[in-house]
Amino acid sequence: MSHPIPFFQQVNLHFDRAARLLELPAGLAEQIKSCNAVYHLSFPLQRDDGSIEVVHGWRAHHSLHRQPVKGGIRLSLHASEDEVSALAALMSYKCALLDVPFGGAKGAILLDKAKYSDGELERVMRRYTYELTLRNCIGPSVDVPGPDMGVGPRELSWMADTYIALARGERGAAGCVTGKPLSQGGVRGRVEATGLGVYFGIREAVAEVDTMRALGLAPGLDGKTVVIQGLGNVGLHAARFLAADGVRVVGILEREGALYASGGLDFEAIAARRDAGGSLLEFDGEIRIEGGREGVEGLTWPCDILLPAALENMITPDIASRVQARIVAEAANGPTTAQGGEILRERGVMILPDMFLNAGGVTVSYFEWLKNLSHVRFGRMERRFSGASTGRVLRAVEELTGNAFDPVVVERLSVGASEADLVRSGLEETMVSGFQQMREAARRWNTDNRAAALAVSIQKIAESYSERGIFP
Ligand code: NAD
């Protein structure tokens, strides 16, 4: 993708704006924002027809202030050193904001997934993992890749399997990647985690009565409208959770084009049709645009919330000056250019920045990693005990009051939390606390959400240096 300003430079423009709010020792801001290392890998792939192709991939380690480093891997035709460096930096900042104890990393493989067979993709993922292993760039205590565009549970199980085979009995080796299928050491709730985190973040934002009034919106989710770019893992799950709270999906932008229907689109039917090889444009709507590039115009369609969940640098100055949404919810990484963001701010649009809003993925990845290191399912030790304890309390209340509870209610309350319950609750706690930290900082420094979130992160990373006696 051709960026007006390189993506990493854009992230650093945001960084500089936030760093000005802090009084950091000379040189420290420079150290925090620089990317520690970027590895460029090239390796051969034997195609199914016997021909040999050289595949290029990257792995960037942005910050080692916490280890292991952590960040997704994407399969994309736009992958580059600049892109992985920028995305690794965003990982450092989002982990710091959400108190997820990892440094930031990101990986990418330059290819168009649709043009390769399953067997070819498996060979690519396994060889990429082997190349990372050779350089000590993967492992539960050094670097833990996860899902991103084009990489899901299947690809991650190939990676885990390859690493475990090479790790020769290393304890907790399954924690070398997150986003694995459950049978391979995954955690319940990881697949939908980023979309659920996006939902929690938006829910918290629209609950702020004064902020919503200032935006000209009613508080709460019920009745709000959303336009979504990218109906993939993040976009689809976010749509599901938002719709369950009364939000109407009025516009969808995808690779093949964009569709708008003021009465709402059946996004489940659209996703199912696309999964089966069909197109968004087979559905009815009041406005339709053919072509992914042309479809970007859909970002300016009328709605309350604009939810980009596909690529970076989509909200350019031209788009930003015509966005009709009052809230831009950055589910994707880096969807708004630095200048686009300035225009949105001038126009009074509220941005929920990527480094906060899509951090649900890495949060639940952290839980998966903990599960792999401890070799025990969340809730296994205490579920039955805590359920029985609640049952005993209910019976004691019955005895004291002489009134019996409805047995159905007693049965429901006497069940302890399952892994899925605990993961969801841990994710909600993390997103709500991240939101509060960001909003409190925005008020303290009288600034916007992105600068506030970044300033909180930078401050935490700076403290981790000074706590170790570096840059006192
Ligand atoms: P995905 O591959 O599952 O989905 C991406 C979707 O975007 C696909 O449906 C694709 O067809 C669509 N798309 C691609 N090009 C498009 C275009 N030009 N116009 C409109 N749509 C287009 O990927 P994902 O995991 O959902 O990731 C989406 C974004 O969220 C990325 O920016 C990623 O870095 C970010 N993210 C993902 C996770 C995660 O856990 N998966 C976590 C944090 C952030």
Side-chain angles (χ1 to χ4, degrees):
M1 157 135 317
S2 64
H3 301 141
I5 300 178
F7 188 16
F8 191 27
Q9 210 175 312
Q10 305 240 14
V11 173
N12 284 338
L13 285 172
H14 293 313
F15 180 101
D16 293 340
R17 205 162 58 81
R20 282 196 285 275
L21 299 168
L22 306 164
E23 286 174 19
L24 297 178
L28 183 52
E30 206 54 37
Q31 157 61 21
I32 293 173
K33 78 178 180 185
S34 62
C35 188
N36 176 260
V38 188
Y39 300 87
H40 178 181
L41 314 163
S42 47
F43 50 84
L45 162 71
Q46 183 159 34
R47 302 287 311 252
D48 291 342
D49 64 5
S51 64
I52 304 285
E53 190 176 299
V54 176
V55 175
H56 292 271
W58 290 266
R59 186 71 181 163
H61 290 171
H62 173 259
S63 176
L64 306 181
H65 73 287
R66 293 265 186 270
Q67 289 178 57
V69 291
K70 177 104 192 71
I73 308 261
R74 57 169 63 173
L75 297 178
S76 151
L77 261 186
H78 309 302
S80 68
E81 175 173 336
D82 173 62
E83 188 182 77
V84 287
S85 307
L87 293 167
L90 285 174
M91 281 303 294
S92 294
Y93 307 138
K94 81 177 68 159
C95 288
L97 176 70
L98 277 292
D99 295 318
V100 172
F102 296 132
K106 200 76 182 190
I109 302 173
L110 183 71
L111 57 77
D112 181 355
K113 193 177 175 185
K115 301 214 165 97
Y116 293 81
S117 70
D118 288 351
E120 289 169 337
L121 287 173
E122 178 171 356
R123 291 200 286 284
V124 168
M125 296 312 295
R126 288 187 182 277
R127 178 64 188 248
Y128 178 76
T129 309
Y130 173 72
E131 296 288 335
L132 293 181
T133 309
L134 281 185
R135 290 160 185 83
N136 200 27
C137 282
I138 183 169
S141 51
V142 285
D143 181 350
V144 185
D148 200 274
M149 288 173 63
V151 171
R154 181 185 67 157
E155 289 75 17
L156 290 157
S157 73
W158 290 330
M159 290 189 73
D161 186 58
T162 307
Y163 178 82
I164 291 167
L166 294 168
R168 299 160 64 100
E170 178 186 357
R171 192 169 171 273
C176 64
V177 293
T178 58
K180 300 176 292 292
L182 265 184
S183 63
Q184 311 294 307
V187 72
R188 284 159 187 82
R190 175 60 186 93
V191 174
E192 63 273 33
T194 309
L196 180 57
V198 165
Y199 156 79
F200 285 138
I202 298 175
R203 184 196 69 186
E204 292 305 295
V206 299
E208 282 192 353
V209 176
D210 292 346
T211 312
M212 287 307 109
R213 282 216 185 103
L215 290 170
L217 296 174
L221 282 171
D222 195 26
K224 296 248 171 338
T225 55
V226 64
V227 167
I228 300 180
Q229 182 186 40
L231 205 57
N233 173 296
V234 178
L236 179 59
H237 285 107
R240 282 182 181 150
F241 292 113
L242 289 168
D245 261 3
V247 175
R248 205 161 70 244
V249 178
V250 290
I252 294 176
L253 287 63
E254 256 296 344
R255 289 175 194 270
E256 63 273 26
L259 189 65
Y260 182 87
S262 54
L265 291 164
D266 184 349
F267 61 87
E268 292 286 7
I270 292 171
R273 187 75 199 98
R274 293 191 76 254
D275 265 356
S279 160
L280 165 72
L281 299 174
E282 292 169 35
F283 290 78
D284 290 333
E286 289 138 38
I287 316 175
R288 54 177 53 235
I289 305 177
E290 262 183 55
R293 197 177 291 265
E294 296 76 5
V296 169
E297 201 53 30
L299 295 171
T300 66
W301 283 339
C303 60
D304 300 316
I305 304 165
L306 177 61
L307 199 143
L311 305 171
E312 55 265 14
N313 288 331
M314 291 286 112
I315 306 181
T316 56
D318 169 47
I319 296 285
S321 59
R322 294 181 294 124
V323 160
Q324 297 190 54
R326 301 301 294 145
I327 299 173
V328 171
E330 293 185 339
N333 281 308
T336 311
T337 69
Q339 301 101 313
E342 257 170 54
I343 293 172
L344 291 178
R345 279 195 302 281
E346 278 161 17
R347 297 186 54 224
V349 176
M350 182 194 221
I351 300 178
L352 294 171
D354 47 6
M355 55 167 292
F356 156 67
L357 196 69
N358 69 31
V362 71
T363 302
V364 175
S365 278
Y366 169 45
F367 301 155
E368 179 176 333
W369 179 77
L370 290 172
K371 176 182 180 181
N372 296 150
L373 294 188
S374 65
H375 296 263
V376 62
R377 186 183 72 235
F378 291 107
R380 178 171 173 171
M381 302 295 284
E382 66 276 27
R383 183 170 196 209
R384 192 162 289 268
F385 181 81
S386 62
S389 299
T390 310
R392 281 194 292 276
V393 171
L394 292 176
R395 276 195 299 280
V397 173
E398 282 178 335
E399 277 166 25
L400 275 172
T401 60
N403 292 323
F405 291 112
D406 179 341
V408 178
V409 173
V410 173
E411 198 182 323
R412 188 155 41 82
L413 293 180
S414 303
V415 177
S418 66
E419 178 168 273
D421 297 330
L422 291 167
V423 164
R424 189 183 165 113
S425 148
L427 173 59
E428 183 168 9
E429 165 62 20
T430 305
M431 293 304 295
V432 171
S433 135
F435 180 80
Q436 286 164 351
Q437 289 180 59
M438 176 177 78
R439 295 299 285 157
E440 195 273 317
R443 281 188 285 273
R444 181 169 8 120
W445 282 306
N446 190 24
T447 191
D448 60 286
N449 288 335
R450 192 189 313 279
L454 260 169
V456 172
S457 304
I458 297 168
Q459 198 161 44
K460 288 185 187 176
I461 298 174
E463 276 163 15
S464 83
Y465 281 107
S466 59
E467 278 158 12
R468 282 177 289 153
I470 312 167
F471 295 101

